[in-house]
Amino acid sequence: MSTAALVDLRALRASLRRAAAALLALSIAACSRSGDPPAPPGSGDQPAVDLGAVTLRIGEQTGIVKSGLEAAGQLEGVPYKIEWATFTAGPPLLEAINADAVDIGAVGDTPPIFAQAAGAPIRIVAVTRNRPEYKAILIPQGSSIKAFRELKGKKVAVAKGSSAHYLLLAALRRDGLGIVDIVPVYMNPNDAQPAFANGDVDAWAVWEPYVANNVRQGAVKLLDGNGLTDALAFQVSSEKALADPGKAAAIADYLVRSHRTQEWSNDHKDVWARKFAEVTKLPLEVAQDMFAHHEPRYVPLDGEIAAAQQKMADAFVEEGLLPQKIEVSRVFDERFNPRASAR
């Protein structure tokens, strides 16, 4: 599968306020006027920010963020520079944020939990709710496995600390099992893909577009996130980026553009699928299958989200996958809260 060039994480390791809420709310309220760029934060005792001097470094996965913004026309008139970095999964993206190589990026629900537990100076600044079918556990074509419980003692590929990791854990706990009852094979999707195709693992917990691509090639979806996960995803930044007035203003603007893009993409799935297929070189049919299960909506970063995240974090602690309990709400930063509601 061809994706954008991956960031060399080894090089990243080696290289190691405030946006006015009222203005941001007004910007988001103007989302329907996609031709009008949102006003940058800056009022009262806040100094004026020259966004033209700001470079916002955005991390993403599989090219979905940049291609979506382009398709929705939301990269037109951006008042700051953007540098893009592409990653195979959420955990390495957050590692880049921790290393001050990226300012903001979208990840699934689980990566921020592991990053917070490791002491990374991250902050969750926005949240979306997606459809739970976006993640699944796959088995190869012709597998004798018919039910999830039959994975007991089997090898299951999964990216450690990814959203698929929690899907796997939730499915195990639902059936009275735990991580110790399977043989987890921790690998990123680029390594898991050939392992799965060659029969080196018995199952694979992963997300789109890997789900749609493999199902098209004969893999079987053993289960998906329905009834198991809250299907949340987060925009995550760093304490350092948020402390910089210019970066914070750019992030505020970027989140409004991201919000507009989500609304547009949910209403233009055919156009969006064609754009994504063009960028990733995936077959159009795969992109169309993927977007049938992709309807993200910004929702408020509030107590309900904190409770869902806390439930996941506690489950990882109980399984011995995290060393100690964490309070997930401590990394919530509500200054950019779009106050949107799911539809």
Side-chain angles (χ1 to χ4, degrees):
M1 178 184 303
S2 175
T3 58
L6 301 180
V7 170
D8 188 336
L9 292 179
R10 290 173 295 182
L12 291 179
R13 294 189 187 101
S15 66
L16 318 159
R17 132 153 294 231
R18 177 174 154 204
L23 288 177
L24 180 59
L26 288 174
S27 297
I28 291 165
C31 280
S32 60
R33 304 194 305 273
S34 59
D36 300 331
S43 65
D45 60 353
Q46 292 293 313
V49 173
D50 178 13
L51 285 176
V54 175
T55 297
L56 187 64
R57 301 168 299 173
I58 304 174
E60 66 159 323
Q61 304 173 51
T62 68
I64 191 170
V65 175
K66 183 180 180 181
S67 57
L69 288 162
E70 287 176 341
Q74 290 303 313
L75 289 183
E76 298 174 8
V78 175
Y80 43 87
K81 301 179 185 69
I82 296 179
E83 291 181 358
W84 296 95
T86 305
F87 300 85
T88 57
L93 193 162
L94 292 189
E95 183 178 348
I97 289 178
N98 184 41
D100 190 30
V102 169
D103 298 313
I104 189 170
V107 300
D109 44 22
T110 307
I113 291 173
F114 277 76
Q116 180 183 355
I122 63 165
R123 289 293 180 266
I124 291 173
V125 296
V127 57
T128 60
R129 190 183 298 277
N130 208 336
R131 292 179 59 175
E133 300 95 327
Y134 198 71
K135 293 172 284 191
I137 296 177
L138 306 176
I139 54 175
Q141 184 178 26
S143 172
S144 62
I145 295 170
K146 303 300 181 186
F148 180 79
R149 287 189 60 85
E150 295 174 27
L151 287 179
K152 186 174 182 179
K154 304 293 187 181
K155 293 187 289 185
V156 182
V158 65
K160 188 172 185 179
S162 69
S163 61
H165 196 180
Y166 181 72
L167 171 62
L168 176 59
L169 178 58
L172 287 166
R173 291 164 70 89
R174 180 195 63 183
D175 285 2
L177 303 172
I179 287 291
V180 296
D181 293 305
I182 62 168
V183 180
V185 182
Y186 295 120
M187 53 177 64
N188 65 42
N190 282 357
D191 295 326
Q193 180 64 70
F196 181 75
N198 295 333
D200 296 331
V201 295
D202 300 292
W204 185 15
V206 72
W207 53 88
E208 297 286 11
Y210 302 99
V211 174
N213 190 47
N214 281 272
V215 168
R216 278 278 176 178
Q217 296 178 39
V220 175
K221 188 185 293 188
L222 189 61
L223 59 78
D224 59 32
N226 269 305
L228 293 170
T229 74
D230 288 282
L232 302 176
F234 297 100
Q235 293 279 3
V236 182
S237 187
S238 67
E239 293 177 355
K240 183 175 180 179
L242 294 170
D244 182 314
K247 297 273 190 185
I251 287 170
D253 176 275
Y254 169 68
L255 290 176
V256 173
R257 293 173 187 274
S258 178
H259 180 204
R260 292 173 178 169
T261 297
Q262 287 189 350
E263 295 300 307
W264 177 89
S265 65
N266 291 337
D267 293 334
H268 300 82
K269 288 190 176 185
D270 288 342
V271 178
W272 183 195
R274 291 182 183 279
K275 175 66 174 180
F276 186 73
E278 175 188 333
V279 169
T280 62
K281 310 304 181 186
L282 285 168
L284 176 59
E285 297 80 9
V286 170
Q288 290 171 332
D289 290 349
M290 169 184 171
F291 289 117
H293 299 149
H294 186 64
E295 294 182 358
R297 302 282 187 184
Y298 269 112
V299 296
L301 186 59
D302 58 15
E304 179 182 350
I305 300 302
Q309 277 294 94
Q310 193 64 55
K311 177 183 175 182
M312 287 190 289
D314 291 347
F316 280 111
V317 173
E318 291 164 8
E319 289 290 327
L321 296 169
L322 288 180
Q324 60 187 12
K325 183 179 176 66
I326 60 171
E327 186 178 334
V328 298
S329 62
R330 288 189 174 183
V331 299
F332 283 18
D333 188 327
E334 299 179 15
R335 77 176 89 171
F336 307 106
N337 200 337
R339 294 177 174 80
S341 59
R343 290 192 284 180

